[in-house]
Amino acid sequence: MKNKLNSCFYLLAFVLCISILSCKTTKNTSPEIGFWQLESKSGGITGRNQTAESIGFTQKMILVKNGTYLFLQNDTIIEKGLYTLLMGKTIFKTEAQQLIKFSSGKSLVIMKLDLERLELTENYNDGFGYAYKKTEKINYTKLPERIQN
């Protein structure tokens, strides 16, 4: 009887240890979070297609999990604020689509979003489309002070 109790105790302790070790902290895996490098933009009245090289400077967008965004040009912050993701009416589909709204007032339709690529389009005829590629993962606590404030 004592051996069975000891066996049950050890089995319970083993299961408890495995359960604790298998627990992981919940991570924000939202695909929009990160550093995004502009690859190309196209559209407008002329339908012009511009690549990162033809634009003549680098453009980056940083989306932080706390809702902060930054736009950088040649690694200099040119705009900073808050963003929200929401569903809304667009000119592209009859059902609501996901939008990203910036505190500057600009809203863009999210045409594609995964862990490596983000495609945004202005929600009007002759609007521009922007294609971004994720350049690196982001950890907000490790951002330089000048970006956090």
Side-chain angles (χ1 to χ4, degrees):
M1 181 75 171
K2 193 173 185 179
N3 282 342
K4 284 187 178 186
L5 280 175
N6 282 341
S7 296
C8 286
F9 175 74
Y10 288 122
L11 181 61
L12 182 62
F14 176 75
V15 170
L16 183 62
C17 287
I18 295 298
S19 297
I20 291 171
L21 291 175
S22 66
C23 288
K24 294 181 181 176
T25 57
T26 305
K27 255 174 49 172
N28 185 347
T29 56
S30 299
E32 78 277 0
I33 305 300
F35 286 85
W36 296 95
Q37 175 84 38
L38 183 69
E39 288 188 316
S40 65
K41 67 179 186 176
S42 61
I45 294 172
T46 62
R48 186 175 178 185
N49 188 17
Q50 297 175 298
T51 63
E53 293 78 29
S54 69
I55 294 172
F57 49 84
T58 62
Q59 288 184 326
K60 293 179 185 172
M61 176 174 56
I62 301 173
L63 300 175
V64 184
K65 68 181 174 183
N66 69 354
T68 302
Y69 76 90
L70 296 103
F71 284 112
L72 295 93
Q73 187 170 313
N74 292 332
D75 294 323
T76 300
I77 298 171
I78 59 171
E79 185 179 322
K80 179 182 175 183
L82 298 174
Y83 74 92
T84 54
L85 298 178
L86 56 123
M87 298 299 287
K89 188 175 181 179
T90 72
I91 63 168
F92 304 105
K93 293 184 179 180
T94 55
E95 65 271 3
Q97 284 184 272
Q98 192 170 31
L99 306 170
I100 184 167
K101 184 172 184 173
F102 300 99
S103 56
S104 65
K106 188 172 196 168
S107 290
L108 298 170
V109 180
I110 299 175
M111 302 302 285
K112 179 177 181 174
L113 173 61
D114 59 36
L115 295 175
E116 301 300 322
R117 192 152 180 80
L118 173 61
E119 294 177 8
L120 304 172
T121 303
E122 294 174 333
N123 193 20
Y124 51 85
N125 293 326
D126 297 327
F128 276 93
Y130 306 91
Y132 291 90
K133 181 179 179 183
K134 189 171 273 189
T135 59
E136 55 187 289
K137 304 294 182 214
I138 187 171
N139 180 345
Y140 184 68
T141 60
K142 293 186 178 180
L143 284 176
E145 181 67 23
R146 64 186 174 89
I147 294 177
Q148 290 184 26
N149 293 326

